[in-house]
Structures are given as C-alpha cells and as structure tokens.
Amino acid sequence: MSQPSDPPQPSDPSQPSGPPQPSGPSQPSGPPQPSGLHRASRQPELIIRPAVLDDETALAELDRRTWSVLHSVQPRPQPPYDPFFTQHNRVEHILVAEFGGCPVGYIRLVPSTPLACNTHVRQIQGLAVDERTRGKGVARALLGAACEEARRQGATRITLRVLGHNTPARRLYASEGFAVEGVLPGEFLLAGEYVDDVLMGRSLDR
C-alpha cells in the first residue's frame, strides 16, 4: 500500500553576493580561505533516479524501518527477511530518492494490469520515505517523478490505493491532483479495526 512521506524540496539557491562596497583604502584580507568552503556548507541535493541492484540492502532496510499499520496490510517483517528485489518487485519498477548519496525513499510504478486494453494506465504500488527526511518534500518529489515516468512510458492515467485511515497520505495525493474514484468499505482488518481501501487516480494530461 502507498505510504505518505511529506512533500519534496528544491535544492538551495545560491547566496546573494551583497551590494558593492564603496571605494577606499583596501582592508586587510586575513588568511586565505580553503577552496570549496561555501560548497561544503550547502544542504545535500535531493535526487530522484532509477533503482539499481546495488540498492537492495538500503531499500530492504528502509522498507522494514518504515513499516506501519497506517499504510501496510502485510504483517510486520520478521527475520529471515525476504529480498527486496524479486520477480514481482523488479528493479526497473522502482524510483529512488537520494540525499547525499544515501537512499531515503522509493516509489514503485507498475502497469495496472497485464491486459493490452489497459496499457495506458500505470499504478503506484508502494511509496516509502525515511522518517528522518520527512517534511523535506521527498514524497512529493517521488510522486512527481512517477507521473513523469508514466508519461514517458505512454500512459495517460495513473492510479493508486491508500488505506482510509492514512490521512496524511490522502492529503498529499489530493494536493497532487489525485481524486477518490472508489471506496471498498471495511476491506481490511488491521490492529482490530476495519479499514477502508480507497482508490484514487488522476489524468496525466495535466
């Protein structure tokens, strides 16, 4: 099931240089600063990229850390753990969010069904973001990248399913143009409560 993470973030703008100084006697300049000092103080840039097989360990650990009944219908993972990449969960279906060379989130984008009459639809079947980077725009960036990739593949619609009690995720999806297109009431029994399965979708024409 899809999970929220909170909205993505632009890279830092460069600092303004300030107004020109009036002419006058030159001031002592002090010791030279090491090159690259300004660059080192910048925040890491958020990168969205296709997954590679070397992401296996990082994504498997991320999946286990982010498990919650808020967004998952599967039991909590227990050792021995299954591999992240499988015949069903293929590397080419995953986009990874990365900060400073470290994966901090992923989204899974797949054909909605194997039917030829349904090839114009893609479905998001998994979204996870590390709690330490929530609120930095990672989930929103992953959603945007998934829509762009679906367009690149020729899709005209994108859909997803989200648990009814996952309010943060539903708000995020709605803010990105997804509308509720159906509800299966009480579809899952999670932690002793019946939870709706909410179907959402949007056109990729905009």
Side-chain angles (χ1 to χ4, degrees):
M1 303 295 297
S2 304
Q3 138 175 359
S5 49
D6 299 283
Q9 115 184 5
S11 55
D12 272 353
S14 56
Q15 298 298 315
S17 59
Q21 299 301 311
S23 58
S26 57
Q27 299 296 316
S29 60
Q33 296 298 312
S35 61
L37 185 61
H38 178 68
R39 254 190 322 267
S41 68
R42 291 170 65 93
Q43 292 296 315
E45 184 181 2
L46 175 62
I47 295 171
I48 309 294
R49 60 168 176 80
V52 296
L53 289 175
D54 284 347
D55 292 320
E56 166 71 34
T57 299
L59 295 184
E61 290 176 351
L62 174 66
D63 226 24
R64 294 194 290 270
R65 284 199 309 274
T66 57
W67 181 93
S68 167
V69 292
L70 189 65
H71 58 80
S72 181
V73 297
Q74 299 293 336
R76 181 184 292 276
Q78 300 291 336
Y81 300 117
D82 293 332
F84 183 82
F85 294 123
T86 64
Q87 186 62 31
H88 175 66
N89 193 43
R90 294 159 61 178
V91 65
E92 60 266 32
H93 293 158
I94 306 293
L95 296 173
V96 174
E98 184 178 277
F99 265 129
C102 178
V104 296
Y106 75 83
I107 195 166
R108 181 169 181 262
L109 180 71
V110 298
S112 185
T113 73
L115 300 172
C117 60
N118 192 227
T119 56
H120 62 290
V121 182
R122 291 294 179 274
Q123 188 168 75
I124 293 169
Q125 292 187 0
L127 171 60
V129 173
D130 194 315
E131 288 185 1
R132 294 169 293 187
T133 58
R134 289 185 185 170
K136 295 179 181 286
V138 178
R140 198 178 299 277
L142 284 166
L143 281 173
C147 288
E148 285 305 310
E149 175 60 18
R151 288 189 190 95
R152 188 192 69 79
Q153 294 176 13
T156 59
R157 262 181 56 77
I158 187 167
T159 65
L160 58 84
R161 296 166 65 180
V162 59
L163 293 176
H165 63 188
N166 195 345
T167 303
R170 294 179 63 179
R171 286 176 177 160
L172 173 65
Y173 301 144
S175 73
E176 289 296 305
F178 287 84
V180 174
E181 298 180 338
V183 178
L184 302 178
E187 186 74 356
F188 301 105
L189 179 60
L190 302 172
E193 295 186 0
Y194 290 102
V195 180
D196 296 348
D197 187 8
V198 180
L199 315 181
M200 302 184 76
R202 58 161 286 184
S203 168
L204 291 172
D205 295 338
R206 58 187 190 283

